[in-house]
Amino acid sequence: MSQTPISRFPIRPPGELPADLAERYAEVADRSGFLPNIFAALAWRPDEARAFFAMHDALMEKETPGLSKADRELIVVATSAGNDCLYCVVAHGAVARIRARDPYIADQVAVDWRKAPLSPRMHAVLTVATRLAADPAGVTAEDLTGLAGHGLTEDDVWDVGMITSFFALSNRLAHFAALAPNPEFFLMGRLPRGTEGAAGRP
Amino acid sequence: MSQTPISRFPIRPPGELPADLAERYAEVADRSGFLPNIFAALAWRPDEARAFFAMHDALMEKETPGLSKADRELIVVATSAGNDCLYCVVAHGAVARIRARDPYIADQVAVDWRKAPLSPRMHAVLTVATRLAADPAGVTAEDLTGLAGHGLTEDDVWDVGMITSFFALSNRLAHFAALAPNPEFFLMGRLPRGTEGAAGRP
Amino acid sequence: MSQTPISRFPIRPPGELPADLAERYAEVADRSGFLPNIFAALAWRPDEARAFFAMHDALMEKETPGLSKADRELIVVATSAGNDCLYCVVAHGAVARIRARDPYIADQVAVDWRKAPLSPRMHAVLTVATRLAADPAGVTAEDLTGLAGHGLTEDDVWDVGMITSFFALSNRLAHFAALAPNPEFFLMGRLPRGTEGAAGRP
Amino acid sequence: MSQTPISRFPIRPPGELPADLAERYAEVADRSGFLPNIFAALAWRPDEARAFFAMHDALMEKETPGLSKADRELIVVATSAGNDCLYCVVAHGAVARIRARDPYIADQVAVDWRKAPLSPRMHAVLTVATRLAADPAGVTAEDLTGLAGHGLTEDDVWDVGMITSFFALSNRLAHFAALAPNPEFFLMGRLPRGTEGAAGRP
Amino acid sequence: MSQTPISRFPIRPPGELPADLAERYAEVADRSGFLPNIFAALAWRPDEARAFFAMHDALMEKETPGLSKADRELIVVATSAGNDCLYCVVAHGAVARIRARDPYIADQVAVDWRKAPLSPRMHAVLTVATRLAADPAGVTAEDLTGLAGHGLTEDDVWDVGMITSFFALSNRLAHFAALAPNPEFFLMGRLPRGTEGAAGRP
Amino acid sequence: MSQTPISRFPIRPPGELPADLAERYAEVADRSGFLPNIFAALAWRPDEARAFFAMHDALMEKETPGLSKADRELIVVATSAGNDCLYCVVAHGAVARIRARDPYIADQVAVDWRKAPLSPRMHAVLTVATRLAADPAGVTAEDLTGLAGHGLTEDDVWDVGMITSFFALSNRLAHFAALAPNPEFFLMGRLPRGTEGAAGRP
């Protein structure tokens, strides 16, 4: 791992960040125990960094009856795996393991979500999300009303689409920059609770 | 066209927008002569709307020697056509015609950019952009250094990747919401200058 | 556009055409106001030109209750768009706009026919036609009887298949020769009736 | 085989054919020893039949130093196999065996032309032809000049493109109509010369 | 054919085989009238040869009411054709013709099994087998229970999966080694019974 | 995990195994600390189990200068990931981590081997192996000689092909049977040496 740089593009030193981003980055590093590399990679583009994390938080920091935080992470894992995106699979797989309190689910969803032990609701969610990720023109009105039939609200349905769309962006950015996942992510959530550090955010 | 709704999701009336968005939307409508439907479709999600348009402006409102505003629009047209995204092809095709002062180029790039009358630099840009759009894992370090060989700066190269990534998001959102292009876009930039209205923004 | 030649192959001067083709070409140019480039590109191969236009006319110059001339053009637009064929999308898109008296329908069908405002009958027709174009072995007997269920006669069903097949030929010929559409096609049918010239033929 | 009808569409009895077609069909049946089913299947559409066979003869009945009759049949076999077209693979495979005087070559080219024992010239021809058949937009100007480098004239190069394009039509028509090959074709050209009947035409 | 070597890898002379393989190879050559090239190609790897032929015999030398020997060969032909594997299509096509006593069925299944004259049971078998061959993750529990609905036992269903899996191995080995089919296979089973030699084994 | 059965097919109790298999299974369970589920899933088919494990051992239990045991496991991980095969990715990923003494390499290779920190030799090996897995007809003689240029012997090159071919079988069998990985595999090789149990075999 040591020979893999964080990104193909410049990494701006934390000391050179605009004040609002410096504050935010410090808070994330403090909460997670390390600064996820996506923060480092976007630092040289402050306007894009602000927009990127604002969009991320608007979509991922929400817990609803129809779409929990763990569910949202699994959408990221399934669609990012379809794009062979190492950063997103490893980082969000780690968060998914923690949020779902399940050490196996991230690998199961990343490699073959169709046979993963998921609820019919989440199976339907991932069916639509992976279709939107891989064949966006193939999504139909019936796909959306089908999700409502599993108890998703109109807001939840939108979130399925927007989370998938946002990580279509993230996956491509990560591939373009050859963004490397922090080593910490690989083991997070795999051990019994209490034997590891805080969850952190991707 | 009249039977096609703007979106599958709720359209919030302009009067109910937060003040900052209301001001921005009014300015766009004033400058373009109409409010592009992407603004209407995102209005019910103010945080996402702010992030979306902030990202858009950071990437598209830039003119550099290596990547003009017209070039940036053509990246959008080529990659959106690969995703069969009507809104993005029609709206950004209109802007591309105006910015490139060429009534043919948007259709040429949308349908078959490989044979379109483009500079070697733009041919290389679209080669990398369409690869990132369709096969993100297939982009290599050589693809990026190749762009530098055509005179793109490190910032321009990043922009190629980030514009493509951002419209990977936009294309999927537009498909998911069945976002319809405004009728005004279809004819923009097709007539001799002076016989039509202002350009507007997508 | 000026830098794009009509074809990669020789263009025979009109004065050197066999008499029957010379007469036909003159009639087309007279009716359309210009000679569509497919005529110019085929002129050096008189036998193939005769067979090509005979097949074209047998399929496209027919108006039936189950398949109007406009419908036939939309089959061409949808299947040619699937093949990224600029000449056929632009030329037949122009004719489709005129025959359907709709300035939007050609772009809608070319970019994303699945969400275009079409009748259930035409949606079924394009489902079968685009399948035949892209995955010919995938067409089933049920696909054909399904069309009959939408009111197509046995002749109409055959026409759906033969039009699609004929433009599978045309799209490939156009790509192979890098056939460029005449500039006139791009604007045809986009303006209110009366402000433009005659329709012409592709 | 007996349970497989010739076509999903009506078969017009020979006695009801227009005189010119009746004469032609009789001549073909006489020369081949049987009437290939493509003739029977097109009989109910005389204008299309005339155009179809005129195009066929213009392309396939030509022997040039750069592209022999056997070579032309192998283009048909390779591209038709890519489309899983039973009629064209079996009928033109039979003709290819006879014209190439090789009982193995048709199966070798149909199943895996890349490893078939072909000249570098024919390997280049099939590379371009199968690309045009499967990915028409992917054919480049370099593909065409490459063929010239193998000794093909400008006419030969066009023929490679037009034969491939014509059988893109034929393959789709055959799938659409579920056209069955005559039983005679399966064995033609597989036995030592002299032990079988005349070659016939597809 | 003469210029095509049997394999890209060394061919161990029969005299250098371990005794158990020498005996087996002699028996096969005696029964078939020739030694199928797969035996020759694997001879330099005795352990793999033993495992390969043990697996082959366990799957293919079985006749059950739900899956005859001919049916098993047709699974091989259909899935191998999907992989463009000349050796397997030609060798097992020959065996399929003999076991099914049908001179046409192998070509019909190899080129377009969907329209081949098969029983609903075998159509269902090939639907599942070709899906497993081309898109293994796409096979569902319903696919398997569907086969039981056509009368296959649990053992038969497993055999469908294992035969397909084993020839996924064989097809790749044959491509990797450029394994050439013996000339004898091409004509086997095409002539009326009694006019040719013994069937042999692949 | 608890709700996921080992296989869709019967699991024969260890006590009912033929003596030779019973001995082998006991030895594996003893060495690994658990019996990998592939052993359990194949137990009802003793002949296939013997052939399967004989082929496995002939290919995977070999250490050569050109292809170490760890390298062989990474071929399995990369090609199995391309087939979305959970069992093979998780089980052989575990073995690969242990044999390579690298807690990150299995995930890196499974998700995006092209950007994984591999030697040029192993990058070339995985290029050929993943091509053979996904597009077997696309492998060329040049692919094989290229491997020799990286120091692989003729035996090593064959092993690359045969390992890939064997896991094309395994991946399909695992999907067909919905073979679940043992929970033990998920964590193996992720922790510093000494804190976990023995490696076991897949």
Side-chain angles (χ1 to χ4, degrees), chain A:
Chain A
M1 286 297 284
S2 55
Q3 71 266 49
T4 311
I6 290 176
S7 167
R8 289 172 176 154
F9 292 90
I11 302 296
R12 177 184 285 204
E16 299 177 15
L17 282 170
D20 64 319
L21 284 178
E23 183 177 357
R24 178 179 187 135
Y25 278 36
E27 180 195 9
V28 169
D30 189 56
R31 191 172 66 238
S32 305
F34 62 96
L35 184 72
N37 285 341
I38 181 67
F39 288 88
L42 278 168
W44 79 309
R45 292 286 192 128
D47 288 344
E48 295 161 42
R50 286 187 195 97
F52 184 93
F53 295 115
M55 185 69 90
H56 176 277
D57 291 358
L59 298 168
M60 303 301 289
E61 302 289 329
K62 225 188 287 186
E63 178 89 24
T64 66
L67 210 61
S68 70
K69 286 185 183 179
D71 294 340
R72 292 165 196 259
E73 296 295 332
L74 291 178
I75 294 174
V76 179
V77 171
T79 60
S80 300
N83 281 330
D84 297 337
C85 180
L86 183 70
Y87 185 87
C88 297
V89 168
V90 170
H92 289 274
V95 182
R97 284 191 295 270
I98 290 167
R99 294 203 161 151
R101 296 168 186 271
D102 182 333
Y104 310 118
I105 193 67
D107 292 331
Q108 290 171 320
V109 166
V111 182
D112 185 14
W113 67 266
R114 281 176 186 79
K115 288 198 274 291
L118 298 165
S119 66
R121 178 183 55 80
M122 272 306 289
H123 196 273
V125 164
L126 295 187
T127 299
V128 175
T130 54
R131 181 172 302 149
L132 181 62
D135 175 26
V139 173
T140 64
E142 288 68 38
D143 285 329
L144 276 66
T145 53
L147 294 181
H150 281 282
L152 278 75
T153 64
E154 193 168 48
D155 276 287
D156 293 334
V157 174
W158 172 277
D159 284 351
V160 170
M162 199 59 156
I163 290 169
T164 301
S165 299
F166 178 64
F167 283 90
L169 181 163
S170 301
N171 292 172
R172 282 164 181 78
L173 173 64
H175 272 303
F176 199 72
L179 181 62
N182 308 57
E184 289 86 346
F185 283 126
F186 287 79
L187 195 57
M188 275 170 55
R190 294 189 181 277
L191 298 172
R193 304 287 290 181
T195 64
E196 57 175 309
R201 44 174 307 160

Side-chain angles (χ1 to χ4, degrees), chain F residues 134-148:
Chain F
D135 174 26
V139 174
T140 64
E142 288 69 38
D143 285 329
L144 275 66
T145 53
L147 295 181

Side-chain angles (χ1 to χ4, degrees), chain C residues 35-58:
Chain C
L35 185 72
N37 285 340
I38 181 67
F39 288 88
L42 279 167
W44 80 309
R45 292 285 192 129
D47 288 343
E48 295 161 42
R50 284 187 197 98
F52 184 93
F53 295 115
M55 185 69 90
H56 176 277
D57 291 358

Side-chain angles (χ1 to χ4, degrees), chain E residues 10 41 43 64 132-133 135-136 151 168 171:
Chain E
T64 66
L132 181 63
D135 174 27
N171 293 172

Side-chain angles (χ1 to χ4, degrees), chain C residues 75 78-79 82 113-114 125-136 164:
Chain C
I75 294 173
T79 60
W113 67 267
R114 283 177 187 77
V125 165
L126 296 187
T127 298
V128 175
T130 56
R131 180 172 303 148
L132 181 63
D135 175 26
T164 301

Side-chain angles (χ1 to χ4, degrees), chain A residues 176, chain B residues 64-67 71-72 75 120-122 124-125 143-161:
Chain A
F176 199 72
Chain B
T64 65
L67 211 60
D71 294 339
R72 291 164 197 260
I75 293 173
R121 179 183 54 82
M122 273 304 290
V125 165
D143 284 330
L144 276 66
T145 53
L147 294 182
H150 281 283
L152 277 76
T153 63
E154 192 168 48
D155 277 287
D156 293 335
V157 173
W158 171 278
D159 285 351
V160 170

Side-chain angles (χ1 to χ4, degrees), chain D residues 1 3-4 8 80-81 83-87 89-90 102-105 107-112 114-115 117-118 174-176 178-179 183-184 186-187 190-192, chain E residues 1 3-4 8 80-81 83-87 89-90 102-105 107-112 114-115 117-118 174-176 178-179 183-184 186-187 190-192:
Chain D
M1 284 298 282
Q3 71 265 50
T4 311
R8 289 171 176 155
S80 300
N83 281 330
D84 297 337
C85 179
L86 184 69
Y87 185 86
V89 167
V90 170
D102 182 333
Y104 310 118
I105 194 65
D107 292 331
Q108 291 171 318
V109 165
V111 183
D112 185 14
R114 282 176 186 78
K115 289 199 273 290
L118 298 165
H175 273 303
F176 199 72
L179 181 63
E184 289 86 346
F186 287 80
L187 195 58
R190 295 189 181 276
L191 298 172
Chain E
M1 283 299 282
Q3 73 263 50
T4 312
R8 289 170 176 156
S80 300
N83 281 330
D84 298 336
C85 180
L86 184 69
Y87 185 86
V89 168
V90 170
D102 182 332
Y104 310 118
I105 194 65
D107 292 330
Q108 290 171 320
V109 166
V111 183
D112 185 15
R114 284 177 186 77
K115 288 198 276 289
L118 298 164
H175 273 303
F176 198 73
L179 181 63
E184 288 87 345
F186 288 79
L187 194 58
R190 295 189 180 276
L191 297 173

Side-chain angles (χ1 to χ4, degrees), chain D:
Chain D
M1 284 298 282
S2 54
Q3 71 265 50
T4 311
I6 290 177
S7 166
R8 289 171 176 155
F9 291 90
I11 302 296
R12 177 184 284 202
E16 298 178 15
L17 283 170
D20 63 318
L21 284 177
E23 183 178 356
R24 178 178 185 133
Y25 279 35
E27 179 195 8
V28 168
D30 188 57
R31 191 172 65 238
S32 304
F34 62 96
L35 185 72
N37 285 339
I38 180 66
F39 288 88
L42 279 167
W44 79 309
R45 292 287 191 127
D47 289 344
E48 295 160 42
R50 286 186 196 98
F52 184 93
F53 295 115
M55 185 69 91
H56 176 276
D57 291 357
L59 298 168
M60 304 301 289
E61 302 290 329
K62 224 188 287 186
E63 177 90 23
T64 67
L67 210 60
S68 71
K69 287 185 181 177
D71 295 339
R72 292 163 197 259
E73 296 295 333
L74 290 178
I75 294 174
V76 179
V77 172
T79 61
S80 300
N83 281 330
D84 297 337
C85 179
L86 184 69
Y87 185 86
C88 297
V89 167
V90 170
H92 289 274
V95 182
R97 284 191 295 270
I98 290 167
R99 295 204 162 151
R101 296 169 186 270
D102 182 333
Y104 310 118
I105 194 65
D107 292 331
Q108 291 171 318
V109 165
V111 183
D112 185 14
W113 67 267
R114 282 176 186 78
K115 289 199 273 290
L118 298 165
S119 66
R121 178 183 55 82
M122 272 306 289
H123 197 272
V125 164
L126 296 187
T127 298
V128 174
T130 56
R131 180 172 302 147
L132 181 63
D135 174 27
V139 174
T140 64
E142 289 69 37
D143 284 330
L144 276 65
T145 54
L147 294 182
H150 281 283
L152 278 76
T153 64
E154 191 167 49
D155 276 287
D156 293 334
V157 173
W158 171 278
D159 284 350
V160 170
M162 198 59 156
I163 291 169
T164 301
S165 299
F166 178 64
F167 282 91
L169 181 164
S170 301
N171 292 173
R172 283 165 179 79
L173 173 64
H175 273 303
F176 199 72
L179 181 63
N182 308 57
E184 289 86 346
F185 283 125
F186 287 80
L187 195 58
M188 273 170 55
R190 295 189 181 276
L191 298 172
R193 305 287 289 181
T195 66
E196 57 176 310
R201 45 175 306 159

